[in-house]
Amino acid sequence: MRLYRQATSLLSGSYAWQHIRACQASLVQARTLIQPSFDYKFIRDNADQLLENAVNRNVHNAQPHRVGKLYDEYRALVTESNTHRSMLNDVSKKMATVAKTRSKAADFQSEMTKLREQAKQSKQTIQTIKDKLHDVEERLRYEAAKIPNLSHPDTPVGDESKARVVCVNGNLHTTDRVPLDDSGKLSDVEFQDHYDLALKLGIVDMEAGAKVAGSRFHYWRGAGALLELALVQYAMTRAVAAGFTPHITPDAARSSIIDACGFRPRSHSEEEQLGSEAKHVGEASQIYRMSPVAEESSKEHAADPLCLVATAEIPLVAMKQKQILDSTVLPMRLAGLSHCFRAEAGARGRDTRGIYRLHQFTKVELVTLAHPDNSESELFRLVEFQKSLFADLGLTFRVLQMPTFELGASAYQKFDIEAWMPGRKSWGEISSASNCTDYQARRLGIRVRTDGGSNSTMFVHTLNATAVAVPRLVVALLESFQRPDGHVVIPTVLRPWMMGMEALAPYK
């Protein structure tokens, strides 16, 4: 604080105040950064298992054995620091005793000089150890953060091809021809893909989106806008009826929050600067970073910059950061509406056609904070809720238990739901549900009291599930319910919000 006042007195004019505001902002951000609570002893004692798990998840920059060595080094430094602090206390007590007795003047001065020198050396040693501790602790946190969550024993090992089909719901269209009606009789018209249909219906404008924001941005138009709102209303209404509290969340969050939730907000070059092996960091970050125009030339927000969220899961979970919850409020069920922003780096081919894979879209996300003993049953509850949503829409879908390569950093167990899309002649993901156990809670400091008002706590488990990802569902609806005359039937459950429309008609 003294240095801050000195800097303030030395600087003058507009530059000075810019500098001061930048310092203040950096101080505030430093205070808001959350330090994760890793179980270093568990990592050290189970390093072989954690390394095997990381490899099974296709994560090659996790080094649990290094964490174990750093933890031992950290403990040794703490012990050494405590030893020197004890020695310093002993010296301080001796100095007090000598000062009280005050024997011969020469002896007194000689003894005090000797004790002061010992105290000085002890303080210098303690400071040196403190600096080493800070460095080791930073490396310890950084290395521990790279270790992914454990995987459920039932999770298949391998890439997407190893996904296990849990169930299939609905009637699979195995023909190329569009049904005449609900009777199942077929026409001579072949299924069209969603984008051809959307253009003919006049419900989406990708060309205008590209002119305004770039490729893979879109406008909903006319009935398309109503369809998005109908899907949101449908999902929220059903979620509230199932006990979820509705929220409209921020579309932005601090980089540290996004990182804590398991989404990597840094670029490869930044990983290199932090000491990571860039060739092993995995896929490119899907996160967009915000940079206010007024602050582009300053480092005011550099410590913890704002990013656009990839899902409402991030702000919903982070709502409870640094809180100790009473066990009576669990399970806490939250539903969040947000825009989602994803760079979709590496996406190519037909997945980039139309609205199947966009940079911005609307989604209703479900989040549950659960007691660790109940998180597995809560995951199955979320999946059953999702199945009821899609069954009532009339979609044909299947539930997949996802393999280790598809779990991301945070998920312990994950199920995807794919809809059959007859225009694409393939299955397409429309939602997922994951149990993240205590991965996010440890990083965000979310705990629950274990026995009423005592000081005993444990980390909660967090779960997330997609209720409605609008563009993917629109793809499935357009392709599934198209008719030979070019109309698309609107599911009955959405009609209350479609202003009397029962079908989407070709645009004139």
Side-chain angles (χ1 to χ4, degrees):
M1 204 56 198
R2 180 169 56 85
L3 290 173
Y4 178 79
R5 291 195 191 98
Q6 288 176 353
T8 304
S9 64
L10 289 171
L11 296 166
S12 61
S14 60
Y15 172 79
W17 287 111
Q18 289 174 6
H19 179 79
I20 292 167
R21 284 195 294 269
C23 290
Q24 289 172 332
S26 297
L27 289 169
V28 169
Q29 288 174 358
R31 288 195 294 268
T32 60
L33 288 173
I34 301 169
Q35 297 298 346
S37 299
F38 296 119
D39 189 341
Y40 298 120
K41 184 177 184 301
F42 176 85
I43 295 173
R44 183 196 64 186
D45 296 346
N46 297 274
D48 290 340
Q49 177 193 356
L50 291 170
L51 181 60
E52 181 183 9
N53 175 69
V55 172
N56 286 343
R57 293 170 73 122
N58 200 31
V59 176
H60 299 288
N61 66 333
Q63 301 185 67
H65 291 88
R66 180 182 292 181
V67 173
K69 290 179 181 178
L70 286 168
Y71 178 55
D72 287 341
E73 183 180 348
Y74 175 81
R75 292 179 66 211
L77 285 169
V78 169
T79 300
E80 186 180 356
S81 177
N82 290 338
T83 299
H84 283 281
R85 289 182 186 280
S86 178
M87 292 169 58
L88 180 60
N89 288 335
D90 289 342
V91 170
S92 298
K93 289 176 182 178
K94 288 180 181 178
M95 290 175 68
T97 301
V98 171
K100 285 181 181 179
T101 55
R102 283 184 175 273
S103 53
K104 295 179 181 179
D107 293 342
F108 170 74
Q109 290 297 336
S110 174
E111 184 69 16
M112 288 298 287
T113 299
K114 179 181 177 182
L115 290 171
R116 287 193 187 100
E117 185 59 28
Q118 290 178 6
K120 179 181 177 181
Q121 290 178 358
S122 292
K123 289 178 180 178
Q124 290 174 342
T125 302
I126 290 170
Q127 184 59 49
T128 300
I129 295 171
K130 184 179 178 181
D131 293 339
K132 289 182 181 178
L133 269 172
H134 176 76
D135 178 61
V136 171
E137 194 171 14
E138 287 292 308
R139 286 189 288 145
L140 193 52
R141 277 198 294 265
Y142 175 69
E143 292 295 339
K146 294 191 291 184
I147 300 173
N149 202 348
L150 289 167
S151 306
H152 191 282
D154 291 343
T155 299
V157 176
D159 61 17
E160 190 176 6
S161 66
K162 305 297 183 183
R164 183 183 299 132
V165 178
V166 177
C167 66
V168 179
N169 187 88
N171 298 315
L172 186 63
H173 296 294
T174 56
T175 176
D176 291 336
R177 292 180 295 157
V178 178
L180 284 168
D181 50 40
D182 292 335
S183 68
K185 294 181 180 180
L186 300 178
S187 70
D188 294 328
V189 178
E190 290 190 359
F191 280 104
Q192 301 179 67
D193 86 341
H194 79 277
Y195 191 44
D196 289 335
L197 286 165
L199 291 176
K200 292 174 183 177
L201 294 168
I203 63 172
V204 68
D205 191 337
M206 298 292 293
E207 186 177 344
K211 288 178 180 177
V212 172
S215 64
R216 283 189 267 167
F217 285 91
H218 71 298
Y219 284 85
W220 288 119
R221 180 184 178 280
L226 294 180
L227 188 56
E228 167 159 319
L229 295 172
L231 285 165
V232 169
Q233 288 279 19
Y234 169 64
M236 275 296 192
T237 300
R238 292 286 292 270
V240 171
F244 292 85
T245 303
H247 295 77
I248 298 177
T249 71
D251 286 344
R254 291 290 179 192
S255 177
S256 59
I257 296 295
I258 288 174
D259 198 29
C261 289
F263 298 81
R264 190 170 59 82
R266 292 183 294 271
S267 66
H268 284 342
S269 61
E270 289 171 313
E271 292 281 0
E272 281 188 281
Q273 290 171 13
L274 288 169
S276 174
E277 300 80 353
K279 64 181 179 181
H280 291 316
V281 295
E283 66 178 20
S285 175
Q286 302 300 323
I287 299 299
Y288 281 102
R289 185 176 295 165
M290 296 172 65
S291 179
V293 173
E295 300 171 6
E296 282 180 350
S297 60
S298 77
K299 296 182 179 179
E300 186 169 331
H301 61 291
D304 197 13
L306 275 174
C307 299
L308 296 172
V309 299
T311 167
E313 167 199 345
I314 295 167
L316 284 176
V317 173
M319 282 174 63
K320 303 301 176 182
Q321 62 180 292
K322 295 191 283 190
Q323 292 188 30
I324 299 176
L325 307 174
D326 193 271
S327 60
T328 58
V329 305
L330 300 183
M332 182 179 293
R333 300 187 177 108
L334 313 171
L337 171 65
S338 77
H339 292 112
C340 304
F341 299 86
R342 300 185 184 182
E344 296 293 0
R348 58 177 64 89
R350 67 173 181 166
D351 279 0
T352 63
R353 173 174 164 78
I355 60 170
Y356 188 84
R357 194 177 294 278
L358 299 169
H359 290 313
Q360 176 187 336
F361 59 93
T362 301
K363 182 157 70 90
V364 176
E365 185 77 1
L366 308 174
V367 162
T368 300
L369 275 60
H371 190 281
D373 294 342
N374 303 324
S375 66
E376 193 159 346
S377 62
E378 284 294 325
L379 178 60
F380 292 117
R381 185 181 187 275
L382 286 169
V383 173
E384 288 302 313
F385 177 76
Q386 291 174 309
K387 288 166 62 179
S388 72
L389 283 179
F390 305 136
D392 289 349
L393 284 169
L395 294 173
T396 295
F397 62 87
R398 65 180 184 178
V399 180
L400 303 176
Q401 183 170 15
M402 299 309 290
T404 50
F405 277 29
E406 300 297 312
L407 296 182
S410 60
Y412 171 69
Q413 187 176 26
K414 179 184 176 186
F415 293 93
D416 276 4
I417 295 182
E418 296 181 336
W420 177 251
M421 299 175 179
R424 288 166 54 89
K425 298 180 177 60
S426 65
W427 297 97
E429 181 189 342
I430 56 174
S431 75
S432 65
S434 301
N435 182 1
C436 297
T437 60
D438 65 356
Y439 182 95
Q440 295 171 331
R442 282 185 174 276
R443 288 159 171 76
L444 290 168
I446 311 172
R447 298 173 178 265
V448 58
R449 293 186 180 87
T450 55
D451 49 5
S454 76
N455 292 325
S456 179
T457 64
M458 64 174 64
F459 292 102
V460 302
H461 281 191
T462 61
L463 303 95
N464 62 80
T466 305
V468 160
V470 172
R472 291 291 178 89
L473 272 184
V474 172
V475 171
L477 294 175
L478 293 180
E479 295 194 4
S480 298
F481 303 130
Q482 58 184 291
R483 290 292 180 256
D485 61 2
H487 287 67
V488 174
V489 177
I490 298 169
T492 304
V493 293
L494 298 181
R495 292 177 189 174
W497 300 284
M498 289 299 296
M499 301 183 71
M501 282 186 280
E502 295 185 359
L504 304 176
Y507 180 66
K508 297 179 181 179

